[in-house]
């Protein structure tokens, strides 16, 4: 039995097709408006701060165990993921951009979580255990963690914003799990930077980047300068 679908275009040479796609997505970059570019610049500033923060953690904090050295290296993954998500969303590739944003969010928060709990790190790294986002945000917002943070700071540090973290993660997870409520129709419009609501998605990436940077700043106060 032969299946046919009239919704897609006629088959063409794949090399030409891929170059055409590349041209379409690349052209979006030349159509970014000033507001969008301003958000990108803010993301880049936050992302560079996260990278610098990683250098300070590695040089200024003694590591009570090898798990801390490994956890600190995850900051490089966050930096890379944020840069990729910024690029993908700017090209109009919203779905993969949001997926990578969620990965950056999970890994970013996990650094503080894993640093403090070696058993969680080794379960994740060597025994194929999954990191639970709920467990991480519950830990970062717990009374015990807040008391720990107060001991590290000479003045009260900002509390972890669990409601914002949960809201952001839920929205990003909807994309991963196939919900399309926040996406334009599956048509050329989905990939058009002027009509696909990309500014809302790039703002979500900015919020994630800021929240990760603040979480790490708070946990590692020597990085604040």
């Amino acid at each position: 039995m032969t299946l046919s679908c009239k919704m897609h275009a006629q088959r063409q040479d794949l090399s030409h097709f891929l170059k055409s796609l590349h041209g379409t997505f690349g052209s979006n970059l030349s159509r970014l408006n000033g507001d969008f570019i301003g958000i990108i610049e803010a993301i880049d500033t936050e992302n560079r701060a996260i990278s610098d923060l990683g250098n300070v953690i590695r040089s200024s904090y003694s590591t009570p165990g090898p798990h801390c050295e490994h956890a600190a290296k995850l900051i490089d993954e966050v930096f890379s993921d944020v840069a990729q998500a910024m690029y993908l969303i700017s090209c109009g590739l919203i779905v993969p951009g949001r997926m990578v944003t969620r990965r950056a969010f999970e890994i970013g928060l996990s650094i503080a979580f894993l640093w403090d709990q070696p058993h969680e790190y080794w379960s994740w790294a060597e025994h194929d255990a999954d990191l639970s986002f709920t467990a991480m945000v519950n830990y970062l917002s717990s009374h015990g963690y807040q008391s720990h943070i107060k001991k590290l700071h000479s003045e009260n540090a900002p509390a972890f914003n669990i409601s914002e973290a949960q809201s952001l993660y839920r929205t990003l997870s909807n994309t991963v799990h196939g919900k399309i409520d926040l996406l334009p129709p599956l048509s050329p419009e989905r990939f058009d930077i002027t009509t696909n609501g990309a500014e809302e998605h790039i703002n979500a990436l900015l919020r994630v980047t800021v929240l990760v940077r603040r979480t790490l700043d708070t946990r590692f106060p020597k990085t604040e300068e």
Side-chain angles (χ1 to χ4, degrees), residues 89 107 116 119 155 168 179:
I89 295 172
I107 294 175
D116 291 339
H119 69 288
E155 56 186 38
L168 271 170
K179 295 183 180 180

Side-chain angles (χ1 to χ4, degrees), residues 89-102:
I89 295 172
S90 299
C91 287
L93 292 165
I94 303 301
V95 171
R98 287 168 65 86
M99 289 179 172
V100 179
T101 298
R102 193 183 89 150

